[in-house]
Amino acid sequence: MDIRFYNTLTRSKEPFRTREPGRAAIYVCGPTVYDDAHLGHARAYVAFDVLVRFLRRSGFQVTYVRNYTDVDDKVIKRAAEAGTTPGELAERFIGRYREDMARLRVLEPDVTPRVTEHMPEIVALVQALVDRGHAYVLDDGVYFSVRSYNGYGRLSGRQLDDMKAGARVDVDDRKQDPLDFALWKVAKPGEPAWESPWGKGRPGWHIECSAMSRRYLGDGFDIHGGGMDLIFPHHENEIAQSVCATGAEFVRCWMHNGFVNVNKEKMSKSLGNFFTIRQAAEAVEAEAIRLYLLGTHYRSPVQFEVDVAEDGSLRGFPGLVEAERRLAYGYDVVRRLVRAEAQLAAKAKGEGKVPDAVAQAIKTFEESFGASMADDLNAAEALGHLAGLQRLANEFLDRGKEHAPADRLAATRRLRGAMAGAGAVLGVLEREPDEALRAIGATGLRRVGMSEADLDDAIGRRAAARKAKDFAAADRVRAELLEQGIELMDGPTGTEWRVVRA
RNA sequence: GGCGCCGUAGCCAAGUGGUAAGGCAGAGGUCUGCAAAACCUCCAUUCAGGGGUUCGAUCCCCCUCGGCGCCUCCA
């Protein structure tokens, strides 16, 4: 199947052709580690995690590099405020960031290089730019000359002169062009610094990605990703630096994810509509955040509706709660299949055969799912197909009793396999269902402020009333719990519950 | 000022030059002590509005209205 990705550089979907057959080299701009990761980071790194998972699943041998920018102005400033060193601050936030990513089920990249560990490569790249006449040295650092590269502006679709006219950049008379940017910054007293031919200092913002991507992936690697806000100037500058320093093509395909909007506006600190992954994961199961993000195509803005109380405090994320419910539905389907398999295995005689209608439906699902993902990672559409498969599984579980146990066993296994395949690509529904459902339940109870002990007590009282055929008393317990956001479900194995209130 | 994106049912959301996936909510049904879950059925003659191209447009072009983004640190 032809895999196609939208390339920002050409503004069109293109067939995915790698530099080397069967191998995909990917670099994604990682976080600057001076604060906790927010929902925007979640969105970006979930999107590229899906990219990597999908390519691996499609047979590519992927090398995925995602950096940590552990030294820059913000890190230095924040460390000073916190009374610590930039190194210690960065280390701490890298740790917290990795925890957040793990909760979102974002796989660890193959390489996670840090700027501070790649100074030789960075200095060499800057030196190459100076040698080739693309950079010039001032007393406070080395600057890249944007006028020296005639491809400048191609990625972001801008003309140098248009930007110059409207740019709100500081006018610095010493620079040859207002858009020239620092490759190397000479250190001020007290700042972290590394040796260089231009004095002790640190890299400018953009050069590290050029240096580290080349170090691990070489020239002309396959995909470079990041948020749309990085297109200009960050990625534009990376291209300029890399192409001018090496003379080779830098990247074959540029992929950018859309923003996170909170109540229709771009989430940003200045607007005060800013939420960290930790805050959201406090409100709902982290995997539900991932599922929610997957419901919108990665290039479109994703909306987060935030429920804010009259006093301005955060009440919750209704959309995330809905996603959590869908997640629970998904795990419930898996659990039903697992349980059915256990029962059927005892009864099945010989090799079974998946009933034709089921086999055909699963085949159609797998083709549709794959086609959606191959078409620029349309996870939202793929999720639509998955909904159909889940319904099919439940229907078969409910009504498939006329088939022989061996055939039913074959069908449930096949259904579970298809779901696992989809889950492995999307990074959802991969956990053990009982454990996941227990975690979702616990998160819900926390949300409505009820303890498990109180809930168990209420369920016990109702069970006693039911046993005594005092249905009025039993229904009162049900109503009370519903009032508190808990819904009871009587099943063959006892009473189960779920949290229904947002 | 320059560049660009978006506007699809109550809400979220995918999508295509040939007549609108999916989810949530809602209605009815099967099941149930009652419920819930699960399943079944229904739920946009219509894709902001107006022109145009076309045999045919929600999808292509133009205009209007509305919302947003980048050009400055940002995923």
Side-chain angles (χ1 to χ4, degrees), chain A residues 32 34 69-81 86 89 182 185-186 188 191-192 202-205:
Chain A
T32 299
Y34 71 103
T69 297
D70 61 348
V71 61
D72 93 319
D73 295 351
K74 290 191 294 293
V75 175
I76 293 167
K77 179 164 177 280
R78 190 61 64 91
E81 288 166 3
L89 185 92
K185 295 180 172 184
V186 173
K188 298 192 187 79
E191 289 180 347
R202 64 178 185 278
W205 173 31

Side-chain angles (χ1 to χ4, degrees), chain A residues 84-114:
Chain A
T84 185
T85 64
E88 192 284 324
L89 185 92
E91 195 60 43
R92 184 164 82 233
F93 282 111
I94 285 172
R96 290 171 69 85
Y97 174 85
R98 294 185 66 208
E99 287 171 12
D100 290 342
M101 290 301 120
R103 277 191 278 199
L104 291 170
R105 309 193 61 74
V106 170
L107 301 175
E108 185 76 0
D110 299 295
V111 189
T112 51
R114 303 181 188 194

Side-chain angles (χ1 to χ4, degrees), chain A residues 329-370:
Chain A
Y329 171 83
Y331 274 118
D332 186 55
V333 176
V334 177
R335 182 167 66 179
R336 291 188 72 193
L337 287 170
V338 171
R339 288 178 177 174
E341 279 172 45
Q343 290 179 350
L344 290 166
K347 288 191 278 185
K349 289 192 281 284
E351 279 293 300
K353 177 177 178 298
V354 181
D356 289 343
V358 175
Q360 185 54 49
I362 293 173
K363 186 160 170 281
T364 300
F365 160 76
E366 287 175 333
E367 287 168 0
S368 306
F369 185 91

Side-chain angles (χ1 to χ4, degrees), chain A residues 344-458:
Chain A
L344 290 166
K347 288 191 278 185
K349 289 192 281 284
E351 279 293 300
K353 177 177 178 298
V354 181
D356 289 343
V358 175
Q360 185 54 49
I362 293 173
K363 186 160 170 281
T364 300
F365 160 76
E366 287 175 333
E367 287 168 0
S368 306
F369 185 91
S372 292
M373 294 306 293
D375 182 12
D376 197 27
L377 301 177
N378 196 335
E381 189 174 80
L383 238 22
H385 299 309
L386 180 61
L389 185 74
Q390 290 170 323
R391 219 182 309 114
L392 175 77
N394 272 327
E395 187 188 1
F396 184 76
L397 254 12
D398 284 351
R399 304 185 178 184
K401 308 276 199 291
E402 77 271 17
H403 298 289
D407 293 348
R408 287 165 65 195
L409 180 60
T412 51
R413 283 183 173 153
R414 181 85 178 81
L415 283 163
R416 202 149 70 85
M419 272 178 212
V425 171
L426 297 176
V428 293
L429 301 172
E430 295 184 292
R431 298 150 76 186
E432 199 281 306
D434 282 319
E435 184 276 314
L437 287 164
R438 206 162 32 238
I440 292 167
T443 304
L445 284 184
R446 194 169 71 225
R447 200 158 56 231
V448 299
M450 175 174 278
S451 77
E452 201 144 354
D454 288 348
L455 177 57
D456 287 344
D457 179 63

